[in-house]
Amino acid sequence: MATNEILEGLIKDPDRLKDLADEAKELALQHGALLRIFENPNSSEVITYTPFTLFPSPVPKAKFLQALALQIHYNLLVDRISQDPGFLEEALASTIQADDFTANLFRLYREVQQEGRTKSIVMGLNRSDYMLDQREDGTCSLKQTEINTIAVGGICISGNLPVVHRRILQMLGLLEESQCVPENNCIAGMTRALARAWELYGQQEAVVMFLVEDVQLHKLGQRCIEHQLWRRDGLEVAVVFYCHGFMPENYKEQSWDVRLLMERSLAVKCPDISTHLAGTKKVQQELARPGVLERFFPDQPQVVEQIRATFAGLYSLDMGPEGDQTVAMALANPEKFVLKPQREGGGNNVYGEDIVRVLEEVKGDKRRAAYILMDKIRPKTEQNILLKTGQPLKLTSVCYEIGAFGAYVRQGKDMVMNECVGHLLRTKNSEQFEGGITARVSALDNPLLV
Ligand code: ADP
Ligand code: MG
């Protein structure tokens, strides 16, 4: 790769590297890759750039397009799971015995389910994340790390970076490469979905309500969506858009009542509670069982095959012989697996010797059903320079994760919109187990399609 030689040249010439990095940071600021600062997340007095990579990462074009093409099928899968109470009941039965947060979500789900309120309009916005797993024969395959169905991050910022990376490549004379950084306009697609749901709700005076947290690091991005939507007065809510509410810490006791109120309301929820539950790690693991995808795509064996090809090994830790076998397998080779609780937002998964410690503690009782076990994906590493506020410029071994954004709107049985609306490439130091831009680990990146 031409960029590799350039990287090595830059590392030997710190003045030139600093000039280029400064230029990149200024370009990022000019093009709106902005973040409020962690020290003062509720103020726009001082802002900074979103952490990002100096260079785009080379990503095999075929794998990238595979992830984007799959997204409409993943949208359907999530939506179909959300409409299948029997499946959700069964899949989550042991998890809700062991995990309070999932149990609380499930309690609300059952309550609205029993009230029989049919919601004719449903809107989903999700992000399916993948890494390229390196096989021993030198080939690689796209493997899903997880799918997020609530408060999906990265939509607002990912579209700002292509122009920055293209410009950096052009400045270094890499004109051909600069044309291999694809366009990415997630905000347009997801705004279209919100607007469609609002239109179908059919009340001119009704609004789209953004549910946000009180620490608003990402407010500037969320406002971009708001600016693209129609501005209306009035208080009737047509669409509730969750930018928050995905982790236990987001809820006080009273918040559960508020969530129930919203769930019962006529408003379109993005996501509704069943769609939220469809995004749990337990559901991801249950989908990997033989025959389960067929339940959701009964007449489409090719779709089943395409989705299944992206599944890494996923194993149940429910009580019983199957779960016992999973425990034994993990204890024998902990470095080959990731142990995952039902949490979102990064920093919750367990790796290496910690797997042994946690499993030794919970393996004898139902607490272990709060987790699932997954094969550890071994992504290829590349060299890059991560630009993060206050951090020195150095050559770093990095790996990336591809996210595909899906947006859909369903009215009754009709899918009135089902699209892949863009992508997110996040790159982290390959020595880090976990990713996440808010967690200050990953940096925003672009694929350089090769
Ligand atoms: P969360 O919902 O908290 O974001 P994820 O399951 O997406 O949790 O995992 C967080 C990060 O951990 C991912 O972004 C990825 O970098 C890493 N990770 C997750 N699963 C695997 C896996 N099976 N193999 C290797 N790394 C993984
Ligand atoms: Mg997640």
Side-chain angles (χ1 to χ4, degrees):
M1 213 52 249
T3 48
N4 269 350
E5 285 158 39
I6 289 179
L7 260 175
E8 273 150 34
L10 280 171
I11 281 298
K12 290 185 198 128
D13 188 348
D15 288 342
R16 205 167 147 240
L17 172 59
K18 183 175 177 305
D19 282 350
L20 191 68
D22 285 348
E23 183 79 31
K25 290 172 191 175
E26 282 163 17
L27 279 166
L29 289 168
Q30 283 155 10
H31 288 96
L34 306 174
L35 197 66
R36 285 175 161 183
I37 59 171
F38 287 95
E39 294 73 19
N40 207 355
N42 285 331
S43 159
S44 296
E45 282 297 302
V46 180
I47 51 168
T48 185
Y49 52 89
T50 303
F52 68 106
T53 57
L54 183 54
F55 290 100
S57 291
V59 175
K61 189 172 181 177
K63 304 294 176 196
F64 178 73
L65 296 179
Q66 184 190 351
L68 300 196
L70 265 176
Q71 194 50 42
I72 55 167
H73 301 312
Y74 268 115
N75 289 346
L76 287 173
L77 177 61
V78 168
D79 186 49
R80 287 174 185 171
I81 295 170
S82 79
Q83 296 174 76
D84 191 334
F87 174 77
L88 282 174
E89 283 273 347
E90 210 174 302
L92 295 169
S94 49
T95 314
I96 58 176
Q97 301 286 316
D99 182 71
D100 284 348
F101 181 59
T102 315
N104 272 327
L105 293 172
F106 206 79
R107 182 174 54 76
L108 295 200
Y109 167 66
R110 270 200 187 126
E111 207 164 324
V112 284
Q113 194 64 31
Q114 279 159 9
E115 290 168 358
R117 291 167 204 263
T118 44
K119 303 155 290 182
S120 70
I121 311 162
V122 171
M123 177 194 164
L125 180 73
N126 62 63
R127 197 190 70 222
S128 179
D129 291 332
Y130 307 88
M131 285 174 148
L132 288 187
D133 193 37
Q134 300 298 305
R135 300 205 195 91
E136 261 140 37
D137 63 6
T139 60
C140 65
S141 68
L142 191 70
K143 291 291 175 197
Q144 186 185 47
T145 46
E146 64 147 357
I147 190 156
N148 297 289
T149 60
I150 179 166
V152 169
I155 303 163
C156 306
I157 47 170
S158 52
N160 304 117
L161 206 62
V163 59
V164 176
H165 273 159
R166 282 187 205 125
R167 184 77 198 106
I168 293 292
L169 294 172
Q170 284 159 7
M171 281 162 58
L172 294 165
L174 301 171
L175 299 185
E176 221 170 287
E177 274 91 344
S178 76
Q179 286 166 13
C180 301
V181 176
E183 224 10 81
N184 195 12
N185 195 354
C186 315
I187 292 191
M190 77 125 340
T191 308
R192 228 176 324 117
L194 281 170
R196 196 72 203 267
W198 177 88
E199 253 169 41
L200 291 173
Y201 183 85
Q203 282 292 339
Q204 281 289 315
E205 299 305 317
V207 296
V208 176
M209 180 172 97
F210 286 56
L211 193 107
V212 299
E213 57 197 312
D214 38 14
V215 178
Q216 293 200 56
L217 200 63
H218 300 289
K219 184 172 177 192
L220 298 177
Q222 285 156 5
R223 294 299 295 273
C224 291
I225 303 175
E226 191 185 320
H227 294 320
Q228 285 208 18
L229 284 168
W230 301 298
R231 300 248 187 117
R232 307 266 160 183
D233 293 324
L235 282 173
E236 183 169 358
V237 175
V239 185
V240 179
F241 177 41
Y242 287 86
C243 303
H244 186 55
F246 55 89
M247 49 165 104
E249 299 75 38
N250 299 160
Y251 293 78
K252 303 187 193 93
E253 213 178 310
Q254 210 189 7
S255 319
W256 289 104
D257 298 338
V258 177
R259 178 109 196 227
L260 180 60
L261 184 75
M262 293 190 284
E263 201 56 35
R264 280 175 167 157
S265 77
L266 289 174
V268 182
K269 273 76 61 179
C270 175
D272 62 15
I273 198 119
S274 53
T275 306
H276 184 173
L277 287 167
T280 53
K281 292 176 168 78
K282 182 62 187 174
V283 165
Q284 181 187 8
Q285 174 257 302
E286 286 295 312
L287 288 176
R289 283 188 194 282
V292 177
L293 281 178
E294 283 80 356
R295 173 179 180 143
F296 297 105
F297 296 96
D299 309 317
Q300 290 174 288
Q302 282 164 337
V303 172
V304 167
E305 201 181 308
Q306 285 166 30
I307 293 182
R308 191 168 281 144
T310 67
F311 288 176
L314 288 149
Y315 313 94
S316 165
L317 280 161
D318 290 358
M319 296 309 284
E322 185 194 355
D324 291 345
Q325 215 177 341
T326 304
V327 171
M329 187 172 77
L331 291 177
N333 281 304
E335 70 290 346
K336 287 197 171 154
F337 301 100
V338 184
L339 182 65
K340 297 191 175 188
Q342 309 304 309
R343 290 289 175 275
E344 300 294 336
N348 301 297
N349 297 334
V350 183
Y351 299 83
E353 281 308 305
D354 288 339
I355 294 184
V356 179
R357 185 178 50 76
V358 172
L359 280 184
E360 288 296 351
E361 196 187 314
V362 303
K363 70 178 184 189
D365 60 76
K366 67 174 191 187
R367 280 180 298 164
R368 80 181 193 199
Y371 297 88
I372 61 149
L373 190 76
M374 183 173 183
D375 281 347
K376 189 145 110 200
I377 302 167
R378 300 143 300 174
K380 191 171 172 221
T381 58
E382 313 276 349
Q383 299 288 312
N384 210 326
I385 292 168
L386 302 178
L387 303 182
K388 295 186 180 187
T389 320
Q391 293 201 6
L393 299 172
K394 57 175 196 284
L395 204 57
T396 309
S397 165
V398 298
C399 61
Y400 60 77
E401 193 168 357
I402 304 170
F405 290 111
Y408 60 90
V409 180
R410 174 169 55 77
Q411 185 174 35
K413 289 195 180 341
D414 295 337
M415 270 291 179
V416 295
M417 173 175 170
N418 178 13
E419 291 177 22
C420 175
V421 294
H423 57 271
L424 174 72
L425 199 78
R426 290 175 301 167
T427 291
K428 63 176 181 181
N429 183 324
S430 57
E431 280 165 21
Q432 297 273 357
F433 287 126
E434 292 273 300
I437 290 178
T438 309
R440 301 205 211 193
V441 178
S442 298
L444 191 60
D445 194 354
N446 273 308
L448 179 89
L449 298 179
V450 293

